[in-house]
Amino acid sequence: AQSVSQHNHHVILSEAASLELGCNYSYGGTVNLFWYVQYPGQHLQLLLKYFSGDPLVKGIKGFEAEFIKSKFSFNLRKPSVQWSDTAEYFCAVNAYSGGGADGLTFGKGTHLIIQP
Amino acid sequence: EPEVTQTPSHQVTQMGQEVILRCVPISNHLYFYWYRQILGQKVEFLVSFYNNEISEKSEIFDDQFSVERPDGSNFTLKIRSTKLEDSAMYFCATLDGTRFTDTQYFGPGTRLTVL
């Protein structure tokens, strides 16, 4: 079974600061990796995903993530955050063999607050 | 952009009562999912549904839970006899399923409160 760890449960940054949210997973096989975001009062939305190929993936709103297989990590980054990035961020994985169709295993989430 | 919708947004019920949570998937999507999030905890996978049958379920999805797609559009989660610990946000998700790298799209959730 897969498991996902997000190290930072609450992060507070000022606007224009750089962001890195950690995500580590454990699984015996190959995985697909996802970052979802939940803005206040809204539903979960996909930020970016990794299935194969270039381990550096770019998503919406200037976010990117790097898959480092040797570290079982998929950290989310943004060079300069905005107040509108205030949200809950979730890392998730499922088994590669199922494509995107298998149930997702989520981390506990990171609550990001951007101060103006 | 098409969206997954869920009704009701909030359901309050007494312990022991049956509840049915409803989801309208994105048109032409083939896979359907239910997840739940107990307050302060992580989002947990419950069940996936494909081709009118359960394709995968977690250990949480015990005999008190059932899913169906009764009319070819709505996808429902039934909890037969609710317990206090069933209080949670329940999210429906759907996936196209025609490409290997598909994305699960989530609905806004139903907040279930069991008293």
Side-chain angles (χ1 to χ4, degrees), chain A residues 13-33:
Chain A
L13 294 173
S14 299
E15 277 194 309
S18 65
L19 170 72
E20 181 160 1
L21 300 182
C23 172
N24 286 90
Y25 70 91
S26 67
Y27 180 59
T30 306
V31 294
N32 305 314
L33 296 150

Side-chain angles (χ1 to χ4, degrees), chain A residues 29-106:
Chain A
T30 306
V31 294
N32 305 314
L33 296 150
F34 307 83
W35 275 97
Y36 280 85
V37 62
Q38 188 173 30
Y39 297 105
Q42 297 188 29
H43 53 273
L44 286 159
Q45 302 171 44
L46 183 74
L47 267 181
L48 47 79
K49 62 186 180 184
Y50 173 81
F51 277 71
S52 63
D54 188 344
L56 184 63
V57 292
K58 295 191 184 300
I60 60 172
K61 306 189 180 187
F63 286 91
E64 64 179 34
E66 185 176 13
F67 170 50
I68 302 179
K69 190 175 180 180
S70 61
K71 295 185 178 180
F72 298 91
S73 70
F74 190 56
N75 292 354
L76 181 71
R77 300 195 292 247
K78 185 171 183 178
S80 177
V81 295
Q82 302 170 302
W83 176 79
S84 57
D85 293 325
T86 294
E88 191 88 18
Y89 292 80
F90 296 92
C91 182
V93 305
N94 64 7
Y96 179 81
S97 58
D102 286 5
L104 293 167
T105 299
F106 282 86

Side-chain angles (χ1 to χ4, degrees), chain B residues 69-112:
Chain B
R69 201 168 178 226
D71 55 9
S73 60
N74 289 303
F75 176 53
T76 63
L77 174 69
K78 182 191 292 186
I79 308 175
R80 256 181 276 283
S81 177
T82 50
K83 302 176 221 174
L84 295 176
E85 54 266 35
D86 293 327
S87 294
M89 279 291 284
Y90 287 81
F91 295 103
C92 173
T94 74
L95 177 142
D96 186 329
T98 57
R99 296 175 297 274
F100 189 74
T101 60
D102 278 333
T103 298
Q104 295 181 28
Y105 290 88
F106 283 78
T110 293
R111 180 172 299 283
L112 176 65

